[in-house]
Amino acid sequence: MLCCHFCMQTVRGLINLLYPPACFRCHRRLRAHSGVFCASCEAGMPRTARPWCVRCGVSIPGAFDAAMACAACRNRPPAFEAARSPWQYTGMLREAIHLFKYHHQWRIGRWLAEEMVASSSSDLPLRDMELVVPVPLHWLKGRLKGFAPVTDLARAVAAMLKAPCEPSALRRRRWTATQTALSSQARWRNVRQAFVAEPRAVRHRTVLLIDDVLT
């Protein structure tokens, strides 16, 4: 085992020497071999700032002492207990997600999964999750893409939490338009009754649902 580890370290060192690691976005050389973005690009990815809604995790401007929910969650409580997102979906973070989703950059997916776990571990009972489930693509979209990025995210998160991942526990039963160009109300209508769960997979289990963008 020690010999194997030494060989892997040697191979990795040679690869880094021949192909120095660079930022996936700006291509600037990275000092840390394990990174995927340089410090400048990461600084341009706006984090979700506290205080945030105890339910959906969206930032709520203003200072207060008591935990509170945003207006959207008070008016229309979501079906989930709580959600968290490390970033706001804008600027360089949007570019990073597009690199992962549309250019098959699996290392970015691994980095996203690590950040998702790290940022939500203080607010969500991640270690109590009995099942990790990705929000599925329509089967035709999956065929056209050639891979399922959210499933890759869910598997990476599940591996970190040492929890089972079950992509078939949730099924998309109809085609839906992309959410990115829709208003808040249109998004609700767009995905209404679009998914169905497999009862035997999820019944009486605490489920961690994974998606690339919380809309």
Side-chain angles (χ1 to χ4, degrees):
M1 182 66 72
L2 182 60
C3 181
C4 263
H5 177 72
F6 175 76
C7 290
M8 287 295 294
Q9 290 290 94
T10 303
V11 170
R12 189 176 294 111
L14 288 172
I15 291 173
N16 287 333
L17 182 64
L18 294 172
Y19 304 100
C23 174
F24 274 83
R25 182 184 173 274
C26 70
H27 309 297
R28 184 181 301 164
R29 183 168 179 173
L30 296 175
R31 293 182 180 178
H33 296 328
S34 59
V36 293
F37 294 107
C38 66
S40 177
C41 286
E42 280 201 37
M45 299 177 184
R47 293 273 176 175
T48 303
R50 291 181 183 269
W52 51 52
C53 172
V54 294
R55 196 72 175 265
C56 72
V58 68
S59 293
I60 304 176
F64 47 82
D65 296 325
M68 67 180 296
C70 67
C73 288
R74 292 197 305 270
N75 295 334
R76 190 195 293 251
F80 53 79
E81 291 184 20
R84 293 293 181 269
S85 175
W87 307 274
Q88 299 175 45
Y89 184 59
T90 186
M92 293 183 187
L93 191 277
R94 184 195 296 263
E95 293 179 36
I97 291 180
H98 283 194
L99 284 170
F100 168 57
K101 290 179 65 173
Y102 305 120
H103 298 279
H104 301 197
Q105 298 289 357
W106 61 268
R107 282 183 59 200
I108 295 178
R110 177 72 185 184
W111 174 77
L112 289 170
E114 289 172 352
E115 290 288 327
M116 290 164 71
V117 170
S119 66
S120 59
S121 59
S122 61
D123 290 320
L124 302 181
L126 296 183
R127 298 299 170 183
D128 296 332
M129 296 300 166
E130 299 170 280
L131 190 66
V132 179
V133 177
V135 173
L137 286 170
H138 188 274
W139 67 269
L140 182 55
K141 284 187 179 180
R143 290 286 181 88
L144 293 173
K145 278 179 176 289
F147 85 126
V150 180
T151 299
D152 289 349
L153 272 180
R155 285 176 173 152
V157 169
M160 294 175 208
L161 300 180
K162 296 181 173 56
C165 178
E166 185 51 73
S168 62
L170 187 64
R171 178 170 54 86
R172 188 185 291 261
R173 58 184 180 184
R174 65 176 175 82
W175 183 280
T176 57
T178 181
Q179 295 276 75
T180 54
L182 301 178
S183 67
S184 177
Q185 292 299 320
R187 287 172 178 171
W188 280 96
R189 293 192 297 269
N190 187 44
V191 296
R192 184 174 177 82
Q193 298 182 339
F195 301 95
V196 60
E198 171 52 55
R200 289 175 296 179
V202 301
R203 183 180 290 119
H204 305 310
R205 303 178 82 176
T206 304
V207 175
L208 179 64
L209 193 64
I210 300 293
D211 206 352
D212 54 349
V213 180
L214 176 62
T215 56

